[in-house]
């Protein structure tokens, strides 16, 4: 397997702590935990960002915030927001992305991520509609990891 640069958004980092009685949530959680394990075992580059830290900081549930923060700390690369990211995020917002989604995309692009993973169906739909405007592929973690580990 080739070395990969992977950006997991906060939806992904939250998933293992969501209601595991729902099949989709359970399967996505397992996929995300597998990606983090592969990241360690195969020396994949897991990318975190200042935007992820801010979004986690804003979480109201302190116990979940701590757990999600632990998963976020498993990164190998860190992207700090700069003027270029801000400008790119504004352009992405103007094309229809929500502000935090736009910032995550801009950070993933700046970090030369091969993939931005999210469990957010709205973001996945928007990304599919605007794929020509993006410099990073955006996928669901379960679908992506299923292809990669084949």
């Amino acid at each position: 397997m080739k070395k990969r640069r992977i950006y997991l958004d906060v939806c992904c980092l939250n998933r293992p702590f969501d209601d595991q009685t729902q099949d989709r949530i359970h399967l996505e959680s397992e996929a995300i935990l597998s990606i983090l394990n592969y990241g360690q075992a195969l020396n994949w580059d897991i990318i975190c960002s200042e935007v992820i830290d801010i979004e986690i900081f804003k979480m109201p549930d302190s116990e979940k915030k701590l757990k999600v923060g632990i998963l976020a700390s498993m990164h190998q690369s860190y992207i700090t927001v700069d003027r270029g990211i801000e400008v790119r995020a504004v352009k992405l917002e103007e094309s229809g992305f929500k502000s935090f989604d736009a910032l995550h995309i801009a950070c993933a692009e700046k970090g030369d991520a091969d993939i931005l993973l999210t469990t957010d169906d709205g973001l996945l739909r928007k990304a599919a509609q605007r794929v020509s405007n993006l410099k990073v592929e955006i996928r669901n973690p379960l679908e992506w990891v299923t292809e990669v580990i084949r």
Side-chain angles (χ1 to χ4, degrees):
M1 286 186 202
K2 79 171 195 132
K3 179 160 177 140
R4 301 182 186 277
R5 294 183 54 78
I6 304 161
Y7 188 103
L8 295 120
D9 75 356
V10 178
C11 293
C12 282
L13 297 172
N14 265 298
R15 191 55 102 200
F17 310 109
D18 290 339
D19 177 7
Q20 298 298 307
T21 61
Q22 297 179 41
D23 290 340
R24 174 187 172 176
I25 290 172
H26 177 72
L27 291 170
E28 287 174 344
S29 297
E30 290 298 320
I32 290 158
L33 294 173
S34 292
I35 290 163
L36 291 170
N37 284 332
Y38 276 114
Q40 299 292 316
L42 299 176
N43 199 29
W44 287 355
D45 198 359
I46 306 296
I47 303 169
C48 189
S49 73
E50 185 176 0
V51 177
I52 288 172
D53 288 345
I54 291 167
E55 200 170 342
I56 292 170
F57 178 78
K58 294 174 91 177
M59 293 173 66
D61 181 334
S62 59
E63 185 177 330
K64 194 170 188 179
K65 180 192 303 188
L66 178 65
K67 291 175 182 176
V68 172
I70 290 168
L71 287 187
S73 73
M74 296 176 73
H75 66 272
Q76 287 76 39
S77 296
Y78 189 86
I79 306 300
T80 303
V81 175
D82 61 15
R83 185 75 184 128
I85 288 172
E86 291 171 356
V87 168
R88 177 67 174 143
V90 167
K91 287 182 181 174
L92 290 164
E93 274 187 83
E94 289 170 353
S95 76
F97 289 97
K98 293 178 186 174
S99 60
F100 267 101
D101 293 341
L103 284 164
H104 286 303
I105 294 167
C107 285
E109 290 177 349
K110 172 81 179 215
D112 292 321
D114 297 307
I115 192 84
L116 184 159
L117 298 175
T118 185
T119 58
D120 180 334
D121 290 334
L123 174 53
L124 290 165
R125 272 192 301 279
K126 276 230 176 16
Q129 295 165 354
R130 292 162 178 79
V131 70
S132 63
N133 296 344
L134 302 174
K135 300 171 190 164
V136 63
E137 185 179 3
I138 301 176
R139 300 278 305 277
N140 174 281
L142 178 58
E143 294 170 3
W144 182 78
V145 81
T146 301
E147 288 176 16
V148 169
I149 63 173
R150 252 185 225 160

